[in-house]
Amino acid sequence: MRRIDNFKSIIDKYDIIFFDAFGVIKTYQGLVSGIEKTFEYLAAKNKEYYIVTNDASRSPAQLAEAYHRYGLTAITPDRIISSGMLTKEYLDLQVQDGIVAYLGTPESSHYIDSSGLHTLPISQINHHNMDKVGAVIFLDDEGFDWCADLNKTVNLLRKKTIPVIVANTDHAYPLSPGDVSIAIGGIAAMIENIVGKKFIRFGKPDSQMFMFAYDLIREYRTVSKKQIVMVGDTLQTDILGGNKFGLDTVLVLTGNTLPKDYETRITATGIMPTYICDSAVVELGGLDF
Amino acid sequence: MRRIDNFKSIIDKYDIIFFDAFGVIKTYQGLVSGIEKTFEYLAAKNKEYYIVTNDASRSPAQLAEAYHRYGLTAITPDRIISSGMLTKEYLDLQVQDGIVAYLGTPESSHYIDSSGLHTLPISQINHHNMDKVGAVIFLDDEGFDWCADLNKTVNLLRKKTIPVIVANTDHAYPLSPGDVSIAIGGIAAMIENIVGKKFIRFGKPDSQMFMFAYDLIREYRTVSKKQIVMVGDTLQTDILGGNKFGLDTVLVLTGNTLPKDYETRITATGIMPTYICDSAVVELGGLDF
Amino acid sequence: MRRIDNFKSIIDKYDIIFFDAFGVIKTYQGLVSGIEKTFEYLAAKNKEYYIVTNDASRSPAQLAEAYHRYGLTAITPDRIISSGMLTKEYLDLQVQDGIVAYLGTPESSHYIDSSGLHTLPISQINHHNMDKVGAVIFLDDEGFDWCADLNKTVNLLRKKTIPVIVANTDHAYPLSPGDVSIAIGGIAAMIENIVGKKFIRFGKPDSQMFMFAYDLIREYRTVSKKQIVMVGDTLQTDILGGNKFGLDTVLVLTGNTLPKDYETRITATGIMPTYICDSAVVELGGLDF
Amino acid sequence: MRRIDNFKSIIDKYDIIFFDAFGVIKTYQGLVSGIEKTFEYLAAKNKEYYIVTNDASRSPAQLAEAYHRYGLTAITPDRIISSGMLTKEYLDLQVQDGIVAYLGTPESSHYIDSSGLHTLPISQINHHNMDKVGAVIFLDDEGFDWCADLNKTVNLLRKKTIPVIVANTDHAYPLSPGDVSIAIGGIAAMIENIVGKKFIRFGKPDSQMFMFAYDLIREYRTVSKKQIVMVGDTLQTDILGGNKFGLDTVLVLTGNTLPKDYETRITATGIMPTYICDSAVVELGGLDF
């Protein structure tokens, strides 16, 4: 059905590259082998790049640090756009004061902290402070007691009409080559269904993620969507979202979508990347620079 | 829009009465006040009755015992039809041997035990016995560690293609006048969505619940659907299910559907009971017998 | 993953065989080649059989006639259980008088006609007779003006709270080897979504279809579910429905599910037939009788 | 629960006003009575305004002309942002050449025309030109034969893996005080469900609609989201979408949401406008300017 394209020749055609993180740059075992060469090449060619990720469990600084521990120093916090940053922007614009109750680890809540707002885990909401709760946010599947705190969240949301933000649209995430974990996005969908209210979701494939990155770039330079390419491993988030926003897209086969079934999946879902590559690794020969 | 009917004059027209349990016979506070008189009247008039309930957390014997503790001795185990009984019938017919892994309390699993089958909580499934697991059943929201065991269930179902039975179709259940609890049916829906496989659900409004009761009766007598009326407090389960099975239905306003909004809800959902009554209590005067 | 079973040796184990029609007994080109031998064998062995079909567009008599034209005289009207028959039973039990407005051909409405009821195409509903409409039924995708009559149905159902019955759960049906047609079940789902009310659906995989057939048999003989096997070509309707009702099932590969992808589909959906056969054709040798 | 706010005092706080069209500025009877005064006031106060509408059935020029016929000359084509404009942008960026097959009137397709592209109604697609079809767009519920052309669309999309754009997210639209029409967004959802592929939807509540308007403004001036307010009559599109994009919102009660049930609907959906007003009409006294 479709040829496999050369990743290097693709990025040569664009000025700015958006990368998904998991399945493109790193996997459970650490970095995708050889991916440092891609970032060397981007630096040499003076191309800009951003990591656009649905991971709201940690701040950009913490996410960048994790790459540095693996030896990939090219990814600095200012290069990372996460769904958590959209959550923070929303709270800044729409929730002026009071308590923001959250489901997640304390770390996941820190970078959401905003001048007038006070974040508090759901477990600490009680009859005394319930009146002050101005929003609920779903940040991470860790850091709380699922049974006690999910039931508490359901009953809080039945009583109060307040914004509910889900900072991760994924329903599950990979944990090891064989296993996945239920993600906070999947838990949030169950609770949304039970309370019957509309939650606000931030994350790919929603175009607001791409807009946020696009806007950051336009703060200091002029750019058109034709100069940007989105690189991802998941058809339903990276490719669908990038494409809907008007970007060209590259599907890589190092993560969610496997070499053996990418054709079947593209036909079944109707989600078509502009290009398909084995990986996002740039193979550098002697003459590449 | 609609008159409120007299419950006694309705049951006079039928030979067999199906009752939902929660919101019709009992609430959080115990029995619906005066409901004993209904069962006295049914006995005096020689009417048959069955409790048709989505509660699979306990056996009919245990459910009956709970009524007896409240002083309602008229409800004996043979009068109770639960979604757990359909689960047991399914396992008898379709899962001959091996392990049935369950989510729920040990009590909820006891009455599922069948000659050739061995029930084991999900927490005790490991690499040694995983091969023998022939079915997974969702019985109760209590009795297990939500985070650990739900993730374990997801990964078990990703690896094995086996029947999955959900013995309760409800997504939440009432806990107190103000609060609800997430029900095992809601949890199962989240996991079904994540693993992408079809689960088998037993419980109202599915007609199999009504068939099971109807069949039990027909084992010893001849009966037509026109002789049976279903009494319930929930439009989406009791009334929709009874109606689809071809039974006349009575909506009572002592539970899920409130006197102040039953008309709005009937119009909004399009689910119409044959009758509407304040409660299932028969007001007995001196001349009633 | 799975062996291909011998169809003859399977039916030898059961007393009653339920067959799906399309994809099992017939296709666009006419009868499945050799299928007459299966019915000869069933007759010789004195096995009972029923055709259990979601086709509500014609009466059992008309459906049987179509088999006779192809030369398959073994299928008589009393052997055919259709979702239209459940619709008729529902109307008999729950809609005593008035007009039943329908979407479909005049033929599809004829066998729904009941003593006290008057069927009328949606196109003939107007301000004068609208008050008398007591139910709406979706029978067939042919016989009406989609644009005018679907809009008319939406507005009728916004104004009236009456039972709506969908006599076919399929969303599309095969028309030729390459093409499908939108089925009345798909159209009904769109309208249900727009008006926000619950429709009553009859058809596989709902157990009421199987119960109807099971009950017909029990009128004249004793039977257990273990004596019946359901033969079908579609995992989501025939196999899921039969299995949930407690029947053993045979997936045949002459229709919806293809030899090249049945394993993938079973794993993806988690719907497992008891047996898998190339077709429902019994290959008769000299010693078979 | 909530006060009714004064519309004039609200718009005094913002620099740019986004208006929904139907239910806010016009209804079936023509303009909302007195709405001209609002636009006079906006002109006098030098406030900017845009009409942000899911109506893709006509070009901004044609939509503006309709207001002019009613005597509202303040609304010029450059003030109108429609979901059709996002469709055009998508085609410009992502579909370079070939045929764009459409469902809708010829007028709805004209303004989609792009240099390299050729629009053709679905009815004119045949075996000769099918290979050249590069995208399918759903524009309007009028201008085609529902039965023939929807079935043709289903079969085209089963054979080709190409982008499908739905230029209107609504499932129904109001036609008269009592009646609605099925919208192209509802029809598209039925077909998406049947073919099992992901369609690209443009329209409120999706943030891309708001981004498009926001970007247009930023081409010639600096603006922050805090300076903009979105005025609409529908919670699920105008208010949810505006709020998610970070804008303050005004719910007006002249359209979809009625004075008698706005409180119930806000509580039930959890979608909260920043303000609630009887209408978007500015009542001008002598001292207002």
Side-chain angles (χ1 to χ4, degrees), chain B residues 267-288:
Chain B
T267 310
T269 60
I271 304 170
M272 283 177 315
T274 320
Y275 312 97
I276 300 164
C277 293
D278 287 322
S279 79
V281 173
V282 168
E283 303 294 346
L284 299 178
L287 300 170
D288 281 323

Side-chain angles (χ1 to χ4, degrees), chain C residues 217-233:
Chain C
I217 299 165
R218 290 192 299 175
E219 276 177 23
Y220 59 90
R221 61 172 283 187
T222 308
V223 71
S224 114
K225 290 181 180 178
K226 285 182 183 272
Q227 296 168 265
I228 308 174
V229 69
M230 170 73 205
V231 183
D233 70 320

Side-chain angles (χ1 to χ4, degrees), chain C residues 8-278:
Chain C
K8 184 171 154 299
S9 66
I10 293 168
I11 58 175
D12 282 346
K13 296 187 225 166
Y14 299 89
D15 296 318
I16 298 170
I17 326 290
F18 287 175
F19 289 96
D20 177 38
F22 207 92
V24 176
I25 298 174
K26 61 179 176 180
T27 68
Y28 339 81
Q29 279 96 19
L31 295 184
V32 165
S33 167
I35 199 73
E36 318 83 66
K37 281 177 282 180
T38 298
F39 289 93
E40 280 170 43
Y41 184 73
L42 292 170
K45 291 287 181 178
N46 229 359
K47 308 261 181 196
E48 277 185 75
Y49 52 88
Y50 290 90
I51 314 300
V52 180
T53 171
N54 281 357
D55 188 345
S57 69
R58 287 175 294 166
S59 69
Q62 289 170 304
L63 290 169
E65 210 182 279
Y67 289 109
H68 299 182
R69 275 198 301 273
Y70 287 135
L72 189 61
T73 52
I75 299 177
T76 46
D78 58 309
R79 297 288 175 183
I80 297 178
I81 317 288
S82 79
S83 47
M85 292 164 73
L86 274 83
T87 303
K88 181 167 170 47
E89 188 200 36
Y90 179 87
L91 296 174
D92 287 345
L93 285 165
Q94 290 290 322
V95 184
Q96 265 67 40
D97 50 27
I99 295 168
V100 173
Y102 71 89
L103 287 164
T105 59
E107 297 78 49
S108 68
S109 81
H110 284 340
Y111 73 110
I112 303 294
D113 275 343
S114 212
S115 44
L117 294 172
H118 182 48
T119 56
L120 217 55
I122 278 284
S123 60
Q124 289 181 33
I125 304 301
N126 54 43
H127 287 291
H128 301 295
N129 59 18
M130 203 173 96
D131 278 355
K132 290 181 209 129
V133 176
V136 169
I137 51 178
F138 287 78
L139 292 171
D140 197 1
D141 59 295
E142 296 184 346
F144 61 93
D145 178 327
W146 284 26
C147 179
D149 292 348
L150 296 181
N151 275 308
K152 200 166 176 182
T153 305
V154 164
N155 287 304
L156 176 68
L157 294 179
R158 281 164 46 92
K159 282 166 198 137
K160 291 190 68 100
T161 301
I162 47 175
V164 182
I165 300 106
V166 185
N168 184 328
T169 47
D170 300 337
H171 284 221
Y173 61 92
L175 198 68
S176 71
D179 286 345
V180 301
S181 262
I182 299 172
I184 192 70
I187 291 171
M190 172 179 73
I191 292 183
E192 189 175 26
N193 180 275
I194 288 170
V195 301
K197 296 183 175 178
K198 290 292 285 180
F199 294 179
I200 291 172
R201 280 192 165 64
F202 291 119
K204 293 170 287 180
D206 192 83
S207 16
Q208 214 156 336
M209 274 294 277
F210 297 95
M211 186 65 177
F212 195 90
Y214 190 52
D215 264 7
L216 274 190
I217 299 165
R218 290 192 299 175
E219 276 177 23
Y220 59 90
R221 61 172 283 187
T222 308
V223 71
S224 114
K225 290 181 180 178
K226 285 182 183 272
Q227 296 168 265
I228 308 174
V229 69
M230 170 73 205
V231 183
D233 70 320
T234 308
L235 289 169
Q236 283 80 359
T237 53
D238 307 313
I239 306 304
L240 180 63
N243 179 264
K244 184 183 169 187
F245 188 62
L247 306 184
D248 285 350
T249 55
V250 184
L251 177 73
V252 293
L253 307 177
T254 42
N256 239 321
T257 314
L258 302 175
K260 65 168 178 163
D261 62 8
Y262 74 91
E263 290 174 307
T264 317
R265 289 225 206 165
I266 288 170
T267 310
T269 60
I271 304 170
M272 284 177 313
T274 319
Y275 312 96
I276 300 163
C277 293
D278 287 322

Side-chain angles (χ1 to χ4, degrees), chain A residues 36-159:
Chain A
E36 318 83 67
K37 281 178 282 181
T38 298
F39 290 92
E40 280 171 43
Y41 185 72
L42 293 170
K45 291 289 182 179
N46 230 357
K47 307 262 182 196
E48 278 185 76
Y49 52 88
Y50 290 89
I51 315 299
V52 180
T53 172
N54 280 359
D55 188 345
S57 68
R58 287 175 294 167
S59 69
Q62 289 171 304
L63 291 169
E65 211 182 278
Y67 289 109
H68 298 181
R69 275 199 300 274
Y70 287 134
L72 189 62
T73 52
I75 299 177
T76 47
D78 58 307
R79 296 289 176 183
I80 297 179
I81 318 288
S82 79
S83 47
M85 294 164 72
L86 273 82
T87 304
K88 183 169 167 45
E89 188 200 36
Y90 180 86
L91 295 173
D92 287 346
L93 284 165
Q94 290 291 321
V95 183
Q96 266 67 40
D97 50 29
I99 295 169
V100 174
Y102 70 89
L103 287 163
T105 60
E107 297 76 51
S108 70
S109 80
H110 285 340
Y111 75 108
I112 303 295
D113 275 342
S114 210
S115 45
L117 294 173
H118 182 49
T119 55
L120 218 56
I122 279 283
S123 59
Q124 290 181 31
I125 303 303
N126 54 43
H127 286 294
H128 301 296
N129 58 20
M130 204 173 98
D131 277 357
K132 290 180 209 131
V133 176
V136 168
I137 52 179
F138 287 78
L139 292 171
D140 197 0
D141 59 295
E142 297 184 346
F144 61 93
D145 178 327
W146 283 27
C147 179
D149 292 348
L150 295 181
N151 274 308
K152 201 166 175 181
T153 305
V154 165
N155 286 304
L156 177 68
L157 294 179
R158 281 163 46 92
K159 282 166 197 136

Side-chain angles (χ1 to χ4, degrees), chain D residues 3-271:
Chain D
R3 77 206 172 285
I4 290 290
D5 305 286
N6 177 278
F7 188 69
K8 184 170 154 301
S9 67
I10 292 166
I11 58 175
D12 282 347
K13 295 187 225 165
Y14 299 88
D15 297 318
I16 299 171
I17 325 290
F18 287 175
F19 289 96
D20 177 37
F22 207 90
V24 177
I25 298 174
K26 61 179 175 180
T27 67
Y28 340 79
Q29 280 95 20
L31 295 184
V32 165
S33 167
I35 199 73
E36 319 81 67
K37 281 178 282 180
T38 298
F39 290 92
E40 280 171 42
Y41 185 72
L42 292 171
K45 292 288 182 180
N46 229 357
K47 307 260 183 198
E48 277 185 76
Y49 51 87
Y50 290 90
I51 315 300
V52 180
T53 173
N54 281 358
D55 188 345
S57 69
R58 287 175 294 167
S59 69
Q62 289 170 305
L63 291 168
E65 211 182 277
Y67 289 109
H68 299 181
R69 276 198 300 273
Y70 286 134
L72 187 62
T73 52
I75 299 177
T76 46
D78 58 310
R79 297 288 175 183
I80 296 178
I81 317 288
S82 79
S83 47
M85 293 163 73
L86 272 83
T87 304
K88 181 168 169 46
E89 189 201 35
Y90 179 88
L91 295 174
D92 287 346
L93 284 165
Q94 290 289 322
V95 184
Q96 265 68 39
D97 49 28
I99 295 168
V100 173
Y102 70 89
L103 288 163
T105 60
E107 298 76 49
S108 68
S109 81
H110 284 339
Y111 74 109
I112 302 294
D113 276 343
S114 212
S115 44
L117 294 172
H118 182 48
T119 56
L120 218 55
I122 279 284
S123 59
Q124 290 181 32
I125 303 302
N126 54 43
H127 287 292
H128 301 295
N129 58 20
M130 204 173 97
D131 277 356
K132 289 181 208 129
V133 176
V136 168
I137 53 179
F138 287 78
L139 292 171
D140 197 0
D141 59 294
E142 296 183 345
F144 61 94
D145 178 327
W146 283 27
C147 179
D149 291 348
L150 295 180
N151 274 310
K152 200 166 175 183
T153 304
V154 164
N155 287 304
L156 177 67
L157 294 179
R158 282 163 45 93
K159 281 167 197 137
K160 290 190 68 101
T161 302
I162 47 175
V164 182
I165 301 107
V166 185
N168 185 329
T169 47
D170 300 338
H171 284 220
Y173 61 94
L175 197 68
S176 71
D179 287 344
V180 301
S181 263
I182 300 172
I184 192 69
I187 292 171
M190 172 178 72
I191 293 183
E192 189 176 25
N193 180 274
I194 289 170
V195 300
K197 296 183 175 179
K198 291 290 285 179
F199 293 179
I200 292 172
R201 281 193 165 62
F202 291 119
K204 293 171 285 180
D206 193 83
S207 17
Q208 214 157 335
M209 274 296 276
F210 296 95
M211 186 65 178
F212 195 90
Y214 190 53
D215 264 7
L216 274 190
I217 299 165
R218 290 192 298 175
E219 274 177 24
Y220 59 90
R221 61 171 285 188
T222 308
V223 71
S224 113
K225 290 180 179 178
K226 285 181 183 273
Q227 296 168 266
I228 308 175
V229 70
M230 170 73 206
V231 184
D233 70 320
T234 307
L235 289 169
Q236 283 81 358
T237 53
D238 307 315
I239 306 304
L240 179 64
N243 180 264
K244 184 183 169 186
F245 188 62
L247 306 184
D248 285 351
T249 55
V250 184
L251 178 73
V252 295
L253 308 177
T254 43
N256 239 320
T257 314
L258 302 175
K260 66 168 176 161
D261 62 7
Y262 73 91
E263 289 173 308
T264 316
R265 288 225 208 167
I266 288 170
T267 309
T269 60
I271 304 170

